[in-house]
Amino acid sequence: MTNTVRSGEQNTPAEVAPPLWRDRSTLGWAFARGVSEVGDEIWFVALAFSAAQLGNAGLAGLVLACATIPRALLMLVGGALTDRFDARRMMIFSDVARIVVLGVSLAVFAAEGVSATLLIAIGFLFGVADAFYGPAASAFPRQLVPRRELGRLAALRQLIGRFAGVVGAPLGGLLVAGYGLGGAITTNALSFAVVLLVLIAVRPRWPRAKSTGASVRADVKDGLVYLKRTPRVRDLIIALSGLNIFVSPVLSIGLALHATRSGWGATGLGWLTGSIGVGAALGTLVAMRWRPAYPVRTALLLLFVQAASLAMVGFAPFGLTLAAMISVGVVAGLASPMLSGAFQATVDDEYQGRASAVLSIADDGLAPLAMGGFGALAALTGLATASIGFGLGFAALLAFSLSRPHVRAMRLDGSTDAEGAPGAPEERP
């Protein structure tokens, strides 16, 4: 049985959703988020520099930990509230809260100067705000563009995010050098103000079904039950979580160890990491134009190239390692928007916030364990063995995901064809 198009796209006039490149509302929101990401990069630089000035090498890490803990604890609550109320209003509320936090912080800084207490308080309160903003930001695109355009919008957001990372850090250094922590706080607050103004102006095109549980606690429990009874979403989350489990440790720890032991130095490591970014940007540009009928199947097949490239880290010569890192970047740029768009298109309306919250928690929780596991394996068996092991583990995860009919049969709009009919989402009136 073949699924028909689900509600939210049928009987919708074409003029309601113009092509993405002429969609001022959606483009405005995407670029406003990019401005906010530049502000975040500026803040991270200011945080590290301010912590160093206080003479505490571990303070920056402590502040980041204070941001991570409340985000992890409250993310499911934020997802449940997003599904219960309204994604756009949740984002507006979170942005207002962060602007207020930064405004008060600026006043405290002007009166008392920089202190560990101030930096920790900002980190903690930002973590709380992120727990509510993140799920809402993941759910909002479904109300802006048709399901078939979600992958393209994800590619655009990814490209803007990479540009923000390139621009934000150097700009943060210049601001901190010229205007200190106060300048960084002010700039970050202004970036959130830009997003706030855009969110006030942008209106969703389609309503989103809301959760109807008896309480937020009941909605949290129902969200977990939804993943248990919905294989297509559960298996997609497993596949997406595996990207950080297997890829990040090799690229962060393994690549640095290989460059050090091979005598390539910081310059060689810079070329290798830079090639990943360049390749990812190129891949994302292609992903903005290329829309395969089965995006998840295509993305998973492409990622086998990445798994093979990861296995080379630890023993390949510089030229081959450089080629492998370019391949890693290109594949990431291609596959990530396809998987992100498919995830947003597949999850049912009333579970968007909670499903994205579970994915974020999995990423935040599993990434440190994967880093520690890779480091321990490299110490016990050698870097080459650890890299090959993680590459093979990644390939096994991809093979498992492709073995699931409802995963490989996903289409651009989140529906499945006859091959995946048993796990396909039900049609809604």
Side-chain angles (χ1 to χ4, degrees), residues 1-6 294 409 411 413 415-422 424-427:
M1 180 178 68
T2 302
N3 281 0
T4 55
V5 179
R6 291 174 286 176
Y294 299 96
R411 292 183 176 273
D413 60 359
S415 64
T416 56
D417 58 14
E419 181 186 11
E426 296 181 1
E427 178 184 355

Side-chain angles (χ1 to χ4, degrees), residues 146-188:
R147 296 176 194 263
R148 64 184 180 275
E149 291 285 354
L150 286 168
R152 184 171 287 176
L153 176 56
L156 175 62
R157 289 172 59 190
Q158 179 175 296
L159 187 64
I160 292 173
R162 293 188 184 282
F163 180 78
V166 171
V167 172
L171 183 58
L174 292 174
L175 278 171
V176 172
Y179 302 97
L181 181 64
I185 293 176
T186 302
T187 304
N188 204 13

Side-chain angles (χ1 to χ4, degrees), residues 372-395:
F374 180 85
L377 185 61
L380 290 173
T381 65
L383 179 58
T385 302
S387 299
I388 292 172
F390 269 59
L392 290 175
F394 191 25

Side-chain angles (χ1 to χ4, degrees), residues 23 26 29 33 87 91 134-147 149-151 153-154 157 204-206 208 340-341 344-345 352:
D23 187 348
T26 303
W29 177 67
R33 284 206 66 188
M91 289 189 290
S138 296
F140 193 50
R142 269 277 284 273
Q143 297 183 267
L144 292 177
V145 299
R147 296 176 194 263
E149 291 285 354
L150 286 168
L153 176 56
R157 289 172 59 190
R205 292 195 172 94
W206 295 285
R208 190 170 64 92
S340 297
Q344 292 173 343
Q352 283 276 320

Side-chain angles (χ1 to χ4, degrees), residues 138-317:
S138 296
F140 193 50
R142 269 277 284 273
Q143 297 183 267
L144 292 177
V145 299
R147 296 176 194 263
R148 64 184 180 275
E149 291 285 354
L150 286 168
R152 184 171 287 176
L153 176 56
L156 175 62
R157 289 172 59 190
Q158 179 175 296
L159 187 64
I160 292 173
R162 293 188 184 282
F163 180 78
V166 171
V167 172
L171 183 58
L174 292 174
L175 278 171
V176 172
Y179 302 97
L181 181 64
I185 293 176
T186 302
T187 304
N188 204 13
L190 290 174
S191 72
F192 286 125
V194 170
V195 179
L196 178 62
L197 292 175
V198 172
L199 284 172
I200 292 172
V202 172
R203 291 292 186 273
R205 292 195 172 94
W206 295 285
R208 190 170 64 92
K210 306 290 179 58
S211 62
T212 56
S215 65
V216 173
R217 181 179 178 181
D219 282 345
V220 169
K221 182 178 179 181
D222 182 47
L224 299 176
V225 173
Y226 168 74
L227 298 182
K228 182 179 179 180
R229 70 171 187 261
T230 315
R232 70 182 191 278
V233 178
R234 182 186 64 237
D235 291 342
L236 195 53
I237 286 178
I238 292 173
L240 289 168
S241 299
L243 298 180
N244 278 337
I245 294 174
F246 293 107
V247 177
S248 297
V250 181
L251 297 183
S252 57
I253 300 175
L255 203 59
L257 288 174
H258 190 32
T260 301
R261 295 176 182 179
S262 300
W264 301 335
T267 301
L269 180 60
W271 278 103
L272 293 173
T273 55
S275 66
I276 299 173
V278 172
L282 294 174
T284 304
L285 287 172
V286 175
M288 293 168 70
R289 308 273 310 173
W290 182 30
R291 296 193 299 169
Y294 299 96
V296 177
R297 180 191 303 178
T298 302
L300 294 175
L301 289 172
L302 285 169
L303 286 170
F304 277 104
V305 176
Q306 194 172 86
S309 298
L310 294 177
M312 295 182 188
V313 174
F315 66 88

